[in-house]
Amino acid sequence: MYQDKQDNREIIVSTSIAAIHWNGNWAFACDFYKNDLTDARIPGEQCGGRCAATSGCTHFTWTTYNGGTCWMKHGHARKENAFSTGDRSMVCGVVEQRSTDRAMYGVHTTRHGATEHGACALPASDYAVVNPVALGNIESLKNLKFRPELCGHVLNVDCGHGSLDIIVTNSNLGGGLDLYGSTWDKLTNHKPPGITSCKRNIGLLNTNGRIVVKATIDGRSGVHHGDNSYYAFTHGPIYDYKKVIFAFEDGGTHSVFLRDCVKQRNQQTWR
């Protein structure tokens, strides 16, 4: 309500603004001013998802224009910034701000050359995972530390050669971003990794009661970590033609070639 007193006259102007009834992060009969980013001719029920998957899109409006158009918008916007249109054929909404939306810098990144399957249960039949990443849990990741609910979320990563939307498909506990080969090449423009060594955990099981006390490759001893029977080798590269020599408590040895391992997903076993 607005009052203005001039020459002893009182002018009263009242306005009535229709309430917007929100269904979570979207509502009917509403719109946002300006800040158009891009648009797409898609059904209304797909507009919010398209916005969430579009880099820079923070809010959206869908109208029946041209058979159905999703108007994706950028910039900071909240539900309070929407205005009522009275047209219930229109839909507007905001992309809920997630912890993954905050920018971070200086995150340790490694290149993972393995096959690009992961631990997250993603509906592969519904969409293609083209830029996968394994998310770690080191302190520099802060709010992006891996947790199961981040599986399937899209991160925007820039390594200095242009940004890329990548999808979380696995965990890299104990590390930072673990980029699979194809994702690494796109983000770094095929830059070679700074660290070329890797870790292999190797153990000899079912030894008919003989206790393994040592494992060596090229005269270098593996390091025994934790409550398991494996020895970690961190020098590299370790090629498949290398021989592993296991030493037993009774003084005997047994040797195997890495190439004789049978690969089963992320584990290998000897016949």
Side-chain angles (χ1 to χ4, degrees), residues 112-118 132 169-170 180-182 263-266:
H112 195 303
T115 54
E116 300 189 355
H117 65 263
T169 61
N170 208 340
Y180 290 94
S182 62
K263 187 170 185 179
Q264 298 177 352
R265 291 178 69 87
N266 64 335

Side-chain angles (χ1 to χ4, degrees), residues 109-113 158-161 179-196:
T109 304
T110 53
R111 184 186 186 279
H112 195 303
D158 192 334
C159 296
H161 296 275
L179 303 177
Y180 290 94
S182 62
T183 308
W184 173 279
D185 290 340
K186 292 174 184 176
L187 279 168
T188 68
N189 193 26
H190 300 272
K191 183 178 180 180
I195 301 174
T196 57

Side-chain angles (χ1 to χ4, degrees), residues 36-42 50 61 65-66 69-72:
D36 287 347
L37 176 67
T38 186
D39 59 83
R41 292 184 59 187
I42 56 175
R50 178 66 67 87
T61 299
Y65 175 76
N66 209 12
T69 302
C70 178
W71 307 92
M72 287 164 276

Side-chain angles (χ1 to χ4, degrees), residues 20 22-26 32 77-83 94 96:
I20 299 175
W22 291 92
N23 301 287
N25 66 331
W26 65 273
F32 291 97
R78 297 180 299 177
K79 296 175 184 177
E80 292 80 2
N81 300 126
F83 63 90
V94 297
E96 293 181 343

Side-chain angles (χ1 to χ4, degrees), residues 19-23 26-31 83-92:
I20 299 175
H21 300 286
W22 291 92
N23 301 287
W26 65 273
F28 289 111
C30 60
D31 196 358
F83 63 90
S84 176
T85 64
D87 181 356
R88 288 191 60 81
S89 70
M90 297 178 65
V91 176
C92 79

Side-chain angles (χ1 to χ4, degrees), residues 76-190:
H76 181 69
R78 297 180 299 177
K79 296 175 184 177
E80 292 80 2
N81 300 126
F83 63 90
S84 176
T85 64
D87 181 356
R88 288 191 60 81
S89 70
M90 297 178 65
V91 176
C92 79
V94 297
V95 175
E96 293 181 343
Q97 296 297 305
R98 305 182 300 270
S99 61
T100 52
D101 293 332
R102 285 176 264 170
M104 292 183 184
Y105 302 90
V107 175
H108 179 66
T109 304
T110 53
R111 184 186 186 279
H112 195 303
T115 54
E116 300 189 355
H117 65 263
C120 302
L122 302 175
S125 60
D126 294 340
Y127 62 88
V129 178
V130 293
N131 298 310
V133 64
L135 189 61
N137 65 339
I138 58 177
E139 286 302 317
S140 63
L141 285 169
K142 299 177 182 177
N143 54 285
L144 274 181
K145 283 185 179 180
F146 178 83
R147 52 190 186 278
E149 57 267 30
L150 287 180
C151 287
H153 279 249
V154 176
L155 308 178
N156 186 262
V157 177
D158 192 334
C159 296
H161 296 275
S163 64
L164 185 71
D165 287 335
I166 58 179
I167 187 168
V168 180
T169 61
N170 208 340
S171 61
N172 178 33
L173 302 183
L177 293 181
D178 200 6
L179 303 177
Y180 290 94
S182 62
T183 308
W184 173 279
D185 290 340
K186 292 174 184 176
L187 279 168
T188 68
N189 193 26
H190 300 272

